[in-house]
Each structure stands twice: as structure tokens, then as C-alpha cells.
Amino acid sequence: IQGKTILDAATEEELEEALLSADVSYETVEKIFERIRESRQHADGVQAALKETLAGMMGANTSQEIATGDTPPTVVFVAGVNGVGKTTSIAKLAYMYTQQGKQVLLAAADTFRAAAIDQLEIWAQRVGCQIVKHAPGADPAAVVFDSVSAAKARGVDIVIVDTAGRLHTRSNLMEELKKITRAVEKANGRGPDETLLVLDATTGQNAISQAREFLSAVDITGLVLAKMDSSARGGTVISISDELGVPVKLVGTGEQLDDLKVFNPEEFVESLFA
Amino acid sequence: SLTSRLQGVFDRLRGRGALTEKDVDEALKEVRRALLEADVNFKVVKEFVTHVREKAVGQDVLESLSAAQQVVKFVRDEMVALLGQSDPRLKGADSPPSVILLAGLNGAGKTTTAGKLALRMKSEGKRPLLVAADIHRPAAAKQLATLAEQVGVPVHTPLSSDTAVGVARDGVALARRESLDPVIVDLAGRQHADEDLMRELAEVSRATSPSEVLLVLDAMTGQDAVNTALEFGRHVPITGFVLTKMDADARGGAAISIRQVTGHPIKFVGISEKMDGLEPFHPDRMAGRILG
Ligand SMILES: Nc1nc2c(ncn2[C@@H]2O[C@H](COP(=O)(O)OP(=O)(O)OP(=O)(O)O)[C@@H](O)[C@H]2O)c(=O)[nH]1
Ligand SMILES: Nc1nc2c(ncn2[C@@H]2O[C@H](COP(=O)(O)OP(=O)(O)OP(=O)(O)O)[C@@H](O)[C@H]2O)c(=O)[nH]1
Ligand SMILES: [Mg+2]
Ligand SMILES: [Mg+2]
């Protein structure tokens, strides 16, 4: 569409397919076209109109910063459905903070899945950060309470909470999630400073219902888009940002500790059409 | 729902007699929308809709609800035909032990499925061996060993210096010595663009001559399901699919895409995190779910 000031039928179809193949929802594609057509003869061409529309939907002015609490420790709470990349993203975030000279403590609050605690423990060793864990099967809320209390006592800067994967359709698991976040409040006098929902970039339209359901259960303040090193382009986050106002903050681009980047909306829009 | 949206379309067309191409196109726009919203790959949707269009033009629009139901029934029947049979049987090797490889993207559910398959084989009177050939992910062997203990099946885990091929080979040798059959090999998750890991996968397959290579795919996978199925299929002889996390509310359109594009059967679906959460694939149930 470079250089065009009007959208012809053939270009429209091509653009539509590019967006749909990137997992942008049908509804959002229609909305994008409405907005481009409204600015029908955009002075700087269709490409500019498109970028402007997408930037607007992605909340161009919202911050990609991870929040910092008024008093330490800052608590970052991580949630999401099964297998999306929570534990690995937490390891990467812990590494990022450790590189910045911060003291990090991981709360091994996935007490359910086989070898979940072992997995996080190995990551803590590799990062060189602290970890608080209980026995498998223990109450995750108790792990969180102990972790945050320990962090306060030891003057730790950041606590990152790992939780078990859970389907947004399981109301009992969503209730458990609320209970675990309340444990942060009990220990720290306030809820988590940042609650990140991890999404798998290869997931289709279900990502939108995941975001909607998790947001109705807990105060999701940001998204981590993991596995963006796949050929999937994660277009569902456009709908999530536009409809629910939740910004993408971090992007996972591989399985190693340094495979985490701060989200860049312009780069993301470029990659949609790669 | 698709039926109510189609009813709206046919309300506007009622009393016009036979469906013209333009009428059918309007109805098919709704079918297209439903399939895209269900994560069916956009190219597959195009082909599917073209196929449906050929059959639909010329039919009479009698009463709008029955016309809508007619189209939905027609689309559903085409979908069921496309999705194939319900056949959970796994092929055995000419001489034991049979080897089943589990491959797929990161986090798809391979390790969990390995445990479930082992339990299923055991309940069929077999003596399976689980092999923890994921040497990459932290605590992967421990995860599989824990599941093996839960289902009461032996497991072969790696020595510290092992390669994936080494572990897989040793597992098959152990099975042969101990008369265990089948050998269920759990492998590391990988992206199809990762050349080194795709090479590793191909090597494991060549070294173990599996009678089944199951691609484990998350039911909520979006448009990329086609790339995944095709690319993995280029490196190993995929014999079937397992669709996991079907207990979520994803419509599962990836099932249509991978069937259309590879022709391989969907053998099982994962319906929970528990070891008994594996069921044979049912095309009629899947079609109903995709159409919402
Ligand atoms: N290629 C790639 N793999 C990733 C990325 N993030 C995580 N993974 C992999 O995805 C798989 C699952 O990651 P986990 O961190 O265990 O996911 P999880 O959400 O904690 O899973 P559960 O706790 O079981 O729900 C592992 O193989 C990770 O190495 C990423 O950005 N890129
Ligand atoms: N609800 C549900 N969860 C499942 C199902 N299958 C697997 N899981 C969960 O999905 C997450 C990932 O499963 P794994 O078996 O670790 O996935 P994997 O493919 O082995 O992951 P990698 O080895 O890292 O690529 C875990 O939390 C599992 O409990 C299923 O059918 N339903
Ligand atoms: Mg985890
Ligand atoms: Mg695994």
C-alpha cells in the first residue's frame, strides 16, 4: 500500500488477508477498514492512515514500563493459561532486573503442576536470584505470603510470583487466583504493583477471551506476549488493547534468559506485515 | 450463532424463490466470518467457502429459519467429512518395540500427553516405557518421571551428557531388553523455524524408526497452525495429531486447517490436565464446536 492515497479493491483484499493471517480478529479488521475509509484520502497515503489507526488501537500513549511500588518490595504477579510461557518469562524478567542491579526474589506459587517448583528453582540458580518455595501441593497463597514477607525482611527490591497455568473457563481456579493475589496485600499492605497476563503469540482468537476473563478476575495491568520468535504475529493484542485497554509491556522471543524485550508498538505494527 | 446470523440473511431474501449467486454470497459471508472467528486458517476458509458455494446455488429459499438451518447443516456435514474418522488406534511396528514420538511447539502439552498415552496403553494391557528425551527444558525429565510414577509406568531418564538421540536410542534398547512396548518418547518443544532443533527432531526419528509421530497441537492455536503442521511434516513423517486443552473454550478451527492441509488424522484430544484426560477424537463433536 506504499504510496497509495486511496484503497482499491485488490489492495483491500490483500491488506485484509495480511491482517487476518496475523490473527487480527474479523471484527477488528472491519473496524480498521472503517477508520481508514473515514480518512479516505489521507494526505500521507493509506499506509500512514493504517499505521495511525493501529497505533491508536494499541494505545500509543500508554506506558510499557513495569510498575514500581512506592515502598519495597515491588511485587510483580504473573498469570495465564497452561503452557503459555509464564515460568520462563519470569526467569527472563528476573534476569533483566538482576542485570539492572536489583535484588530479586521468586515466589514458587505453582504448587500444583509436576516439577513446576524444580523448573523455577533451576532458573533461580541460573539467574542468581533468591527463591521461596514450599512442598508440592502446599497452599499457593501461603507461598506468596511467605515470599513477600521474606522479601521485606531481606530488603529485596522485586518479588515475582509464578502461578500455575489455569484455564479462564474454570471458575474455581479463577477464584483461587484472586485468593493468591490477596495474599500479596496481606503481606505488603497493597495488592500486586503489576499483574502480568502471559499470552502465547501462536494462540488465536481465544487470547481475547483469556484477557477478558482474567481481567474480570484480577487487575491485569499488562500483557507479556511470549513466543514471538514463532512465525505467528500475535495480532489478537490489537483487539485486547483496543477493547480492554490493557497494554503489551514485554515480548518473549526465545527460550533463553536474554530473550525478553520491552514492547515496541511501531516494531510490532511493522512485523504484522512482515 | 451462525444459524441466527444466517437467519437474518435469509429473512431479507425470503419470497425470492431460488437462491441466486448473490444471495448465496451473502450467506457465505456469514459462514466465512464464523470460520475465521473459530481460527480456521484464512486460506482454508477460502477453499471451503468456494466448495460450499458450488453446492448451494439454485436451492430454493423456502422459509428463512429452515434455509439457515439447511445451510448450517450443509456446512457442518462438509466439515465432518473433512475432519475424518474417529480412529484412536496407533500403528505398531513390525517387530516390537513400537516407538511413538511426540513432537510440537513449546508448551503444547507433549509431556502431559505422554503420561496420558502411557496410562491408556497400560489400560489396554500393554507394558509401555516412557522416555524423557527432552534434554533442553529445566526439570523436563523430573516432570515426566513424576507423571510416570503417577500412572505406574517405567521411565527412562537421561544421563547428564546425553543428546536427545542418545536418550531415545537408549530408551528403545532398554525396552527391547525388558520387553516393554510401546516406547513413548517425549521430546523438547521447538519452533518450526529453529533449524537446529528441527534437525534434532529428524535425527531422533531416523534413529528410532517410529511407527507413530504425533504432532501435539494446542486447540487454541490460531492461523499459524498450518505453518506448524506443514513445517514439522517436512522434517518428520507425521502420522497423526493430538489436539490439547480442548477443555478450554477455544473453537478449535485449527483442526480443520491441519486436516485440510496435511490429510493426517486427528487421533486424540486432551480434555484436562489429569492423566485420564485423553479421549479419541470425534469429528461430529468437533464440527459442532467449531461452528459455535
Ligand atoms: N520459543 C519460545 N519458547 C518459549 C518462550 N517462552 C516460553 N517458551 C517455552 O514454552 C514452554 C512453556 O514455558 P513455561 O514457562 O513452562 O510455560 P508456563 O506458562 O509456565 O506453563 P505452565 O506452568 O505449565 O502453565 C517451554 O518450553 C519454554 O521454554 C518464547 O518466548 N519463545
Ligand atoms: N487444561 C488442560 N491443560 C493441559 C492439557 N494438556 C496439557 N496441559 C497443561 O499445559 C501445560 C503445558 O503442558 P506440558 O505437557 O508441559 O507441555 P509441553 O508440550 O511438554 O511443553 P514443552 O516441553 O515446554 O514444549 C501444563 O500446565 C499442562 O498441565 C489439556 O488437555 N488440558
Ligand atoms: Mg509454569
Ligand atoms: Mg514437555
Side-chain angles (χ1 to χ4, degrees):
Chain A
I1 58 170
Q2 183 112 8
K4 292 211 164 129
T5 46
I6 274 233
L7 212 52
D8 58 76
T11 312
E12 248 199 38
E13 188 172 342
E14 238 179 286
L15 180 57
E16 188 200 40
E17 295 198 337
L19 292 169
L20 288 173
S21 66
D23 287 310
V24 180
S25 77
Y26 188 95
E27 203 172 315
T28 300
V29 171
E30 285 196 329
K31 196 170 176 183
I32 290 170
F33 275 105
E34 265 177 44
R35 296 217 183 144
I36 306 181
R37 286 189 204 116
E38 275 166 22
S39 62
R40 174 161 285 278
Q41 269 171 303
H42 201 285
D44 307 322
V46 176
Q47 196 179 66
L50 178 64
K51 287 193 177 170
E52 206 169 293
T53 301
L54 289 170
M57 286 175 157
M58 300 294 301
N61 302 318
T62 50
S63 156
Q64 269 89 43
E65 291 272 326
I66 302 281
T68 307
D70 297 332
T71 60
T74 288
V75 178
V76 179
F77 194 93
V78 178
V81 305
N82 306 74
V84 290
K86 298 178 291 300
T87 305
T88 311
S89 300
I90 287 168
K92 296 172 188 175
L93 190 57
Y95 178 71
M96 194 182 260
Y97 281 130
T98 305
Q99 297 294 90
Q100 295 170 7
K102 300 253 164 52
Q103 293 277 354
V104 179
L105 184 147
L106 303 183
D110 177 355
T111 57
F112 173 73
R113 204 208 69 211
I117 299 169
D118 303 81
Q119 183 187 7
L120 191 67
E121 235 182 327
I122 292 172
W123 280 121
Q125 286 165 17
R126 290 182 186 179
V127 171
C129 68
Q130 302 178 42
I131 179 168
V132 164
K133 55 173 181 146
H134 289 187
D139 176 9
V143 177
V144 170
F145 185 87
D146 284 357
S147 300
V148 178
S149 308
K152 287 178 76 168
R154 302 175 200 173
V156 161
D157 299 304
I158 322 260
V159 175
I160 314 177
V161 181
D162 188 16
T163 58
R166 67 199 65 228
L167 295 182
H168 50 295
T169 46
R170 293 274 308 269
S171 55
N172 60 326
L173 298 182
M174 299 310 283
E175 282 307 313
E176 182 193 66
L177 193 64
K178 292 181 197 174
K179 177 162 172 278
I180 305 172
T181 59
R182 283 198 290 271
V184 174
E185 197 170 346
K186 288 200 186 113
N188 214 23
R190 60 180 195 267
D193 299 294
E194 184 83 45
T195 304
L196 298 173
L197 176 67
V198 181
L199 296 175
D200 184 331
T202 66
T203 299
Q205 298 310 303
N206 198 252
I208 304 173
S209 34
Q210 289 174 26
R212 198 172 285 130
E213 291 306 314
F214 273 86
L215 187 61
S216 70
V218 295
D219 178 27
I220 302 290
T221 53
L223 305 175
V224 178
L225 191 54
K227 306 177 196 169
M228 275 294 271
D229 48 315
S230 73
S231 53
R233 276 160 286 150
T236 55
V237 299
I238 301 176
S239 311
I240 297 172
S241 293
D242 186 45
E243 291 170 33
L244 303 173
V246 186
V248 181
K249 299 209 168 183
L250 298 166
V251 176
T253 58
E255 299 189 70
Q256 307 309 327
L257 287 175
D258 54 1
D259 289 326
L260 189 72
K261 310 193 310 202
V262 173
F263 182 66
N264 180 323
E266 285 81 31
E267 258 184 49
F268 176 77
V269 170
E270 295 287 327
S271 73
L272 281 180
F273 302 102
Chain B
S1 73
L2 179 60
T3 307
S4 56
R5 281 187 192 159
L6 285 174
Q7 206 181 331
V9 170
F10 287 119
D11 271 339
R12 296 191 288 280
L13 304 178
R14 201 165 4 145
R16 290 204 218 156
L19 290 175
T20 65
E21 275 199 44
K22 186 164 175 301
D23 297 336
V24 170
D25 279 352
E26 205 175 337
L28 290 180
K29 191 160 181 281
E30 291 304 329
V31 172
R32 177 177 186 256
R33 175 178 193 151
L35 295 177
L36 287 171
E37 287 176 349
D39 290 324
V40 182
N41 184 273
F42 79 102
K43 286 193 189 134
V44 172
V45 172
K46 219 172 186 168
E47 288 173 41
F48 188 84
V49 165
T50 304
H51 179 69
V52 170
R53 173 183 291 118
E54 288 166 2
K55 295 201 173 182
V57 175
Q59 312 276 327
D60 267 323
V61 184
L62 305 161
E63 184 252 279
S64 68
L65 174 59
S66 70
Q69 288 170 340
Q70 218 173 324
V71 174
V72 172
K73 171 160 183 348
F74 183 74
V75 168
R76 185 175 170 147
D77 290 346
E78 289 297 305
M79 211 179 257
V80 171
L82 207 164
L83 288 170
Q85 302 299 322
S86 174
D87 184 4
R89 290 170 306 172
L90 296 176
K91 274 193 248 65
D94 298 328
S95 61
S98 304
V99 176
I100 302 168
L101 293 189
L102 294 178
L105 298 174
N106 301 84
K110 297 173 293 300
T111 305
T112 309
T113 301
K116 293 175 181 179
L117 269 175
L119 182 61
R120 183 179 171 94
M121 302 284 103
K122 189 176 166 202
S123 66
E124 290 178 357
K126 306 212 170 70
R127 301 197 325 134
L129 172 71
L130 282 167
V131 176
D134 175 355
I135 52 145
H136 301 285
R137 171 173 156 153
K142 177 123 198 257
Q143 184 185 1
L144 189 66
T146 305
L147 299 182
E149 188 178 357
Q150 278 178 24
V151 301
V153 163
V155 61
H156 171 63
T157 52
L159 302 168
S160 58
S161 56
D162 266 336
T163 59
V165 178
V167 181
R169 271 215 189 95
D170 290 348
V172 176
L174 172 66
R176 206 166 269 130
R177 285 199 305 278
E178 305 285 323
S179 306
L180 299 170
D181 184 24
V183 178
I184 301 167
V185 183
D186 182 27
L187 293 163
R190 65 206 66 217
Q191 295 300 323
H192 51 79
D194 189 325
E195 293 188 5
D196 293 330
L197 286 181
M198 294 312 282
R199 193 173 317 124
E200 179 196 80
L201 178 59
E203 280 174 38
V204 171
S205 181
R206 277 197 303 275
T208 57
S209 306
S211 51
E212 290 279 352
V213 176
L214 301 177
L215 183 66
V216 179
L217 190 75
D218 195 324
M220 50 185 97
T221 307
Q223 296 289 308
D224 204 56
V226 166
N227 287 342
T228 300
L230 288 176
E231 284 303 305
F232 271 81
R234 273 196 324 106
H235 291 90
V236 282
I238 295 178
T239 56
F241 300 104
V242 178
L243 272 187
T244 59
K245 307 176 205 171
M246 284 278 283
D247 42 323
D249 57 352
R251 300 261 292 273
I256 297 271
S257 309
I258 62 185
R259 269 294 293 170
Q260 173 74 342
V261 156
T262 70
H264 299 309
I266 298 170
K267 300 224 143 254
F268 297 104
V269 294
I271 56 154
S272 84
E273 284 188 85
K274 314 226 288 293
M275 291 297 99
D276 58 1
L278 190 75
E279 281 184 357
F281 172 70
H282 287 291
D284 47 352
R285 279 186 224 165
M286 192 78 216
R289 175 186 180 122
I290 292 170
L291 286 174

